[in-house]
Amino acid sequence: QLQLVESGGGSVQPGGSLRLSCAVSGFGPEHFAIGWFRQAPGKEREGVACISGRGDSRNFAGSAKGRFTISRDNAKNTVSLQMNALEPDDTAVYYCAADGDYHCRGYILSDYDYWGQGTQVTVSS
């Protein structure tokens, strides 16, 4: 029902910034909460941030609080993740995903019905 495509990944030095974008297409994307996840080599996929269908509610994982912001533009069907003060531990493949619910329920992987292909973020000196 939905298709998601991430973009904006790249390589930056510690302390730098990146802005990721998730383009959502299909039927009624405004009805789905969108979450950002990341997965580093050898580690489990973990939640980063989530935004509700209307963009009126946001949630951040502990490691992202104070450094990352999430927003969405439903007129353009995009969700953005602004990442500041990046650290080497932020290195991972970042995915956006659509929850079947309108609200951000958390970061249980099985709650998210649609996933993008991911975009690589590398933070190193």
Side-chain angles (χ1 to χ4, degrees):
Q1 186 176 5
L2 294 182
Q3 298 81 46
L4 300 92
V5 180
E6 304 93 338
S7 62
S11 181
V12 297
Q13 295 183 344
S17 299
L18 281 175
R19 187 176 183 88
L20 306 183
S21 181
C22 176
V24 185
S25 62
F27 182 79
E30 69 276 10
H31 297 301
F32 298 86
I34 301 295
W36 282 97
F37 295 77
R38 67 187 183 186
Q39 187 168 21
K43 300 182 67 176
E44 299 291 327
R45 189 169 300 187
E46 63 177 0
V48 177
C50 182
I51 188 167
S52 65
R54 291 180 60 88
D56 56 347
S57 181
R58 297 169 174 83
N59 179 266
F60 298 92
S63 62
K65 291 181 179 179
R67 299 190 299 132
F68 295 0
T69 58
I70 188 169
S71 61
R72 71 188 299 165
D73 185 342
N74 285 338
K76 298 181 179 179
N77 292 328
T78 58
V79 176
S80 297
L81 181 69
Q82 178 68 45
M83 304 186 295
N84 300 319
L86 286 164
E87 304 170 352
D89 285 347
D90 295 317
T91 296
V93 176
Y94 283 70
Y95 302 87
C96 61
D99 195 336
D101 199 271
Y102 177 83
H103 304 283
C104 290
R105 293 184 287 173
Y107 303 107
I108 300 175
L109 298 183
S110 61
D111 284 343
Y112 291 80
D113 300 311
Y114 306 96
W115 293 80
Q117 297 298 309
T119 184
Q120 177 70 48
V121 172
T122 302
V123 185
S124 66
S125 300

